[in-house]
């Protein structure tokens, strides 16, 4: 199982301690090594490498030998897909947050404007509301500028992702 999961040989150390503590048994390292090698035969396939990379999982450098270069290339291709997808998702999160911040600032502006025209607002409160409106208006402008930049980044990131997916499909490798 450790080999099929691409875990390094050091993964056995936790099992050794647990087996000794809970069951009073020791790990047969020859059997473990043989079983791990069988699992690595399953794991160290380019299609698996691509899947591991595209899920953002870590490759522990366990696939040696002549197939390692092909495995690494497939892992990197999958990892690049994951990174591009994460970039799009992060920009979408930033856009959602910026739009939420914009709604909040617009509400603050509406509330401050209402306070300015309210007949029971004191002169001191009006002075503070004018200062707040200036700050809120600057914040609104900054957020709107950030949204424009994020929209531009989103278009670029989605294009890069689409182009990369198209190149993967055209190669037919993964």
């Amino acid at each position: 199982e450790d080999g099929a999961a691409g875990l390094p040989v050091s993964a056995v150390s936790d099992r050794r301690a647990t087996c000794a503590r809970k069951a009073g048994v020791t790990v047969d390292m020859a059997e473990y090594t043989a079983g791990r090698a069988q699992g690595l035969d399953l794991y160290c396939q380019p299609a698996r490498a691509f899947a591991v990379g595209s899920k953002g999982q870590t490759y522990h450098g366990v696939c040696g030998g002549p197939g390692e270069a092909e495995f690494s290339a497939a892992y990197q291709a999958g990892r690049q897909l994951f990174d591009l997808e994460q970039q799009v998702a992060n920009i979408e999160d930033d856009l959602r947050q910026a739009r939420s911040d914009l709604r909040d600032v617009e509400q603050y502006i509406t509330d401050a404007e209402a306070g300015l025209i309210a007949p029971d607002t004191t002169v001191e409160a009006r002075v503070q509301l004018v200062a707040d409106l200036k700050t809120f208006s600057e914040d609104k402008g900054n957020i709107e500028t950030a949204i424009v930049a994020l929209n531009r980044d989103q278009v670029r990131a989605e294009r890069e992702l689409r182009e990369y997916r198209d190149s993967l499909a055209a190669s037919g490798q993964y």
Side-chain angles (χ1 to χ4, degrees):
E1 290 177 8
D2 287 353
L7 296 177
V9 74
S10 61
V12 74
S13 62
D14 289 338
R15 286 173 185 51
R16 289 174 91 170
T18 302
C19 288
R21 186 177 65 251
K22 290 189 175 187
V25 297
T26 59
V27 173
D28 182 334
M29 283 306 293
E31 288 292 318
Y32 174 82
T33 303
R36 183 173 174 277
Q38 288 176 350
L40 285 174
D41 288 342
L42 298 173
Y43 178 80
C44 295
Q45 302 296 318
R48 181 65 180 257
F50 182 82
V52 168
S54 68
K55 292 176 187 168
Q57 297 171 345
T58 301
Y59 168 52
H60 298 284
V62 296
C63 300
E68 183 174 18
E70 187 178 3
F71 184 92
S72 291
Y75 174 79
Q76 290 304 324
R79 187 60 195 228
Q80 185 173 352
L81 176 62
F82 174 80
D83 291 344
L84 290 169
E85 289 172 341
Q86 283 301 114
Q87 183 179 18
V88 169
N90 291 341
I91 292 169
E92 288 171 351
D93 289 346
D94 291 347
L95 265 170
R96 267 191 295 282
Q97 184 61 54
R99 288 178 180 136
S100 174
D101 292 347
L102 182 60
R103 283 189 299 275
D104 290 346
V105 154
E106 287 172 339
Q107 185 60 53
Y108 295 145
I109 289 171
T110 299
D111 293 347
E113 288 171 339
L116 274 177
I117 61 173
D120 59 338
T121 303
T122 65
V123 172
E124 295 82 16
R126 287 179 203 275
V127 169
Q128 183 59 52
L129 287 170
V130 168
D132 290 347
L133 276 170
K134 182 179 185 301
T135 300
F136 295 147
S137 293
E138 289 171 0
D139 291 347
K140 180 180 178 190
N142 291 336
I143 293 168
E144 289 170 337
T145 300
I147 288 173
V148 168
L150 285 167
N151 281 324
R152 187 175 44 247
D153 291 346
Q154 182 181 33
V155 168
R156 178 197 42 77
E158 287 174 345
R159 183 186 68 246
E160 288 175 4
L161 177 59
R162 184 178 57 256
E163 289 172 355
Y164 189 67
R165 284 180 173 157
D166 290 347
S167 74
L168 288 173
S171 76
Q173 291 179 318
Y174 311 111

